[in-house]
């Protein structure tokens, strides 16, 4: 863990003291803004927790109502950590959205691969049948050209099958 800068500790102590004195909405807002500032400065959650703990331990006033002080520290800590929670939730929601988007993309690719394989396969079978239907009508020297066409058609089938397989 990297210890946060001193000015951040000072800001935390000042804001916590004000909150323990007044405990109003304005000081809770200050705690929230402190948390945002720490998040902006790339302070990690563990560093933030340590900073809050050290600050609370150092400035807890003596001779005060311990329950009230504990409640005030708890409110301040929770409000200071809320920007971290929101950032964490945002990342989690973004990851979930990306996962769903990736699943939809994969489904679409599989559907395209299936259609490519099925439709191209039907057309190629039809061409094979048509070529075979021409065989009896060819002169003997035309059979060689027909065999070349059938061989090329076989290569096309292999390439379409390979592309459809890679898409899946």
């Amino acid at each position: 863990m990297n210890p946060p800068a001193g000015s951040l500790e000072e800001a935390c102590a000042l804001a916590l003291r004000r909150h323990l004195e007044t405990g109003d909405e304005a000081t809770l807002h200050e705690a929230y803004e402190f948390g945002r500032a720490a998040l902006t400065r790339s302070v990690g959650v563990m560093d933030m927790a340590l900073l809050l703990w050290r600050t609370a331990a150092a400035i807890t006033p003596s001779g005060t109502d311990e329950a009230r002080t504990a409640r005030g520290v708890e409110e301040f800590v929770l409000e200071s950590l809320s920007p971290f929670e929101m950032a964490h939730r945002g990342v989690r929601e973004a990851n979930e959205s990306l996962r769903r988007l990736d699943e939809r993309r994969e489904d679409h690719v599989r559907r395209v691969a299936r259609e490519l394989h099925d439709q191209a396969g039907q057309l190629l079978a039809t061409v094979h049948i048509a070529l075979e239907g021409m065989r009896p009508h060819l002169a003997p020297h035309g059979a060689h050209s027909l065999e070349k066409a059938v061989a090329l058609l076989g290569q096309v089938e292999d390439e379409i099958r390979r592309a459809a397989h890679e898409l899946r």
Side-chain angles (χ1 to χ4, degrees):
M1 287 188 293
N2 299 324
S7 62
L8 201 56
E9 289 180 17
E10 293 166 11
C12 181
L14 183 62
L16 180 56
R17 276 192 193 99
R18 276 198 289 265
H19 181 67
L20 291 176
E21 289 170 6
T22 63
D24 61 8
E25 197 61 36
T27 58
L28 284 176
H29 179 71
E30 191 176 348
Y32 176 80
E33 289 302 323
F34 166 72
R36 282 189 51 192
L39 187 60
T40 301
R41 290 175 65 174
S42 300
V43 173
V45 174
M46 298 299 286
D47 291 330
M48 184 67 169
L50 183 61
L51 181 142
L52 289 166
W53 180 79
R54 284 180 179 165
T55 303
I59 69 164
T60 301
S62 59
T64 60
D65 179 9
E66 288 183 19
R68 183 179 173 280
T69 300
R71 228 178 7 263
V73 169
E74 178 183 347
E75 290 170 347
F76 185 87
V77 167
L78 290 175
E79 199 64 32
S80 296
L81 290 175
S82 65
F84 290 83
E85 174 67 16
M86 287 187 287
H88 175 72
R89 284 182 185 175
V91 168
R92 192 172 56 229
E93 289 169 2
N95 283 337
E96 180 63 24
S97 293
L98 287 172
R99 186 191 58 73
R100 284 192 310 268
L101 183 64
D102 194 45
E103 285 174 357
R104 279 185 270 164
R105 183 193 54 78
E106 286 178 9
D107 288 344
H108 180 69
V109 167
R110 278 192 292 275
R111 190 172 38 257
V112 167
R114 230 180 357 263
E115 288 176 13
L116 173 66
H117 181 267
D118 295 348
Q119 290 177 0
Q122 289 175 359
L123 288 172
L124 289 171
T126 303
V127 172
H128 271 293
I129 292 169
L131 287 175
E132 287 304 316
M134 292 173 53
R135 191 176 298 275
H137 304 291
L138 292 176
H141 62 278
H144 179 68
S145 296
L146 181 62
E147 291 305 321
K148 279 181 156 179
V150 169
L152 287 173
L153 196 57
Q155 288 177 355
V156 169
E157 287 173 333
D158 291 343
E159 286 300 311
I160 289 173
R161 195 174 298 115
R162 182 194 55 76
H165 181 72
E166 284 181 14
L167 282 172
R168 288 184 194 167

